[in-house]
């Protein structure tokens, strides 16, 4: 088991709502094993979501109070 911390520099948040501007981040991982008979390489590209609001936090709009006439 190998663990590595990946430092993330200050960057713009992930943004893919606007049809003109699209900001996405990916983590590319490559693993190479060297064996007696062969060398094998496996790779994966994982999407990263970078933002300022945690995804687990639910933002609810403020409630509107309707006054009776």
């Amino acid at each position: 088991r190998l663990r590595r911390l990946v430092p993330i520099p200050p960057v713009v948040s992930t943004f893919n709502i606007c049809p003109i501007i699209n900001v996405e981040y990916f983590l590319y991982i490559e693993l190479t094993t060297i064996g007696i008979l062969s060398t094998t390489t496996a790779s994966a590209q994982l999407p990263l979501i970078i933002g300022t609001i945690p995804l687990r936090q639910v933002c609810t709009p403020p409630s509107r109070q309707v006054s009776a006439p």
Side-chain angles (χ1 to χ4, degrees):
R1 181 174 171 161
L2 177 66
R3 274 188 158 178
R4 295 271 173 118
L5 293 177
V6 179
I8 298 176
V11 293
V12 176
S13 300
T14 302
F15 183 76
N16 57 3
I17 298 171
C18 179
I20 298 172
I21 300 172
N22 190 15
V23 178
E24 295 180 308
Y25 298 98
F26 296 92
L27 176 64
Y28 183 76
I29 300 172
E30 186 172 284
L31 174 67
T32 303
T33 59
I34 300 172
I36 296 172
L37 300 175
S38 66
T39 300
T40 305
T41 301
S43 62
Q45 183 173 326
L46 307 171
L48 293 177
I49 297 175
I50 298 176
T52 57
I53 301 174
L55 290 176
R56 291 185 184 149
Q57 179 181 349
V58 178
C59 295
T60 56
S63 61
R64 293 185 182 178
Q65 295 181 357
V66 178
S67 59

